[in-house]
């Protein structure tokens, strides 16, 4: 037995990011993403958040948020700790104007924060769909129709035809987080289609990860959510096995022994 082991008692896990520290730029009024990332995190993975204000979950509200100087401030604050990877945790905000806009957003954040690897919820989604070898997909969102349609376009322009979709027309950010997991489960089931090789659930303030394993067992195909994909991509980019088991087949190879 080492001298360190004999000198000190066995300590309890304290949440320290000894494996990976994830920086997160997130919506000020949202609650789901941090909670779900914490639930999926194995000991040694930590998340550190800076926030930006979203006036309303509409095209106009998202554009106001993304054009505000607060975005740069939040990015710099999120990257102030010694993080390994930085994620912009807004799906609709990063896909709203298509793939080129999402790519430009990553370049902009990298210019503001040159240290960590940078990704977005939308970039992570595409990487996750590639990981599970998805082709045509089904799409479940809580958005209004105008934002849902932008999600369809974003997926389609990246090779994922949406064969069936549904949205819930929610415009209040607090209301997004209050949708019960049982209703989320039924909403996702409602979009399944024989031609869909995977189901994507968009929105980082919409509960999903607690239902993913049950949905995959029922449907026999991958279910990818924006929060799950974002967390997976952060781990993937830094090469860390830092996920607790049970949150979907996407994490194959990245699950920790806990």
């Amino acid at each position: 037995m080492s001298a360190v082991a004999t000198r000190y008692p066995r300590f309890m896990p304290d949440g320290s990011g000894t494996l990976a520290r994830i920086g997160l730029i997130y919506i000020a009024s949202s609650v789901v993403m941090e909670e779900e990332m914490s639930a999926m995190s194995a000991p040694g993975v930590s998340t550190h958040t800076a926030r930006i204000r979203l006036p309303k979950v509409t095209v106009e509200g998202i554009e106001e948020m993304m054009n505000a100087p607060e975005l740069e401030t939040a990015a710099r604050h999120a990257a102030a700790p010694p993080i390994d990877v930085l994620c912009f945790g807004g799906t609709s905000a990063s896909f709203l104007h298509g793939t080129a806009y999402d790519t430009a957003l990553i370049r902009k954040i990298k210019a503001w924060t040159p240290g960590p690897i940078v990704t977005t919820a939308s970039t992570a989604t595409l990487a996750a769909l590639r990981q599970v070898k998805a082709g045509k997909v089904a799409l479940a969102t809580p958005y209004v129709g105008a934002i849902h349609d932008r999600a369809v376009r974003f997926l389609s322009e990246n090779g994922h035809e949406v064969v069936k979709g549904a949205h819930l027309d929610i415009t209040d950010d607090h209301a997004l987080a209050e949708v019960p997991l049982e209703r989320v489960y039924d909403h996702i089931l409602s979009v399944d289609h024989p031609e869909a090789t995977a189901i994507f659930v968009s929105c980082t303030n919409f509960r999903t990860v607690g239902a993913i394993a049950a949905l995959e067992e029922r449907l026999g195909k991958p279910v990818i959510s924006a929060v799950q994909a974002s967390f997976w991509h952060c781990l993937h980019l830094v090469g860390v096995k830092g996920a607790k088991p049970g949150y979907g087949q996407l994490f194959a190879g990245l699950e920790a022994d806990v």
Side-chain angles (χ1 to χ4, degrees), residues 47-95:
T47 300
H48 309 271
T49 308
R51 292 177 173 269
I52 50 176
R53 185 183 66 88
L54 174 64
K56 200 169 186 180
V57 192
T58 60
V59 170
E60 295 76 18
I62 294 168
E63 287 180 334
E64 181 179 337
M65 176 182 74
M66 297 305 287
N67 290 326
E70 188 180 7
L71 176 60
E72 179 179 355
T73 302
R76 292 186 183 277
H77 285 175
I83 58 171
D84 301 297
V85 58
L86 175 58
C87 179
F88 176 80
T91 330
S92 57
S94 47
F95 70 56

Side-chain angles (χ1 to χ4, degrees), residues 10-157:
R10 184 183 177 203
F11 297 142
M12 294 297 293
D14 62 3
S16 179
T18 52
L19 285 179
R21 292 191 179 103
I22 298 170
L24 178 64
I25 305 167
Y26 194 39
I27 314 306
S29 50
S30 297
V31 296
V32 168
M33 190 170 192
E34 291 157 310
E35 293 174 345
E36 292 197 333
M37 288 176 69
S38 177
M40 292 184 286
S41 293
V45 177
S46 60
T47 300
H48 309 271
T49 308
R51 292 177 173 269
I52 50 176
R53 185 183 66 88
L54 174 64
K56 200 169 186 180
V57 192
T58 60
V59 170
E60 295 76 18
I62 294 168
E63 287 180 334
E64 181 179 337
M65 176 182 74
M66 297 305 287
N67 290 326
E70 188 180 7
L71 176 60
E72 179 179 355
T73 302
R76 292 186 183 277
H77 285 175
I83 58 171
D84 301 297
V85 58
L86 175 58
C87 179
F88 176 80
T91 330
S92 57
S94 47
F95 70 56
L96 195 67
H97 295 298
T99 308
Y101 179 83
D102 182 48
T103 303
L105 176 61
I106 290 177
R107 284 200 302 268
K108 184 160 45 175
I109 294 172
K110 283 181 176 178
W112 294 332
T113 62
I117 303 167
V118 176
T119 188
T120 70
S122 293
T123 289
T125 292
L126 296 179
L129 290 173
R130 287 194 300 271
Q131 180 71 13
V132 300
K133 297 179 172 54
K136 296 178 181 179
V137 298
L139 174 65
T141 79
Y143 304 137
V144 295
I147 298 177
H148 181 91
D149 291 345
R150 302 282 183 110
V152 172
R153 186 175 68 188
F154 178 77
L155 291 167
S156 297
E157 72 184 17

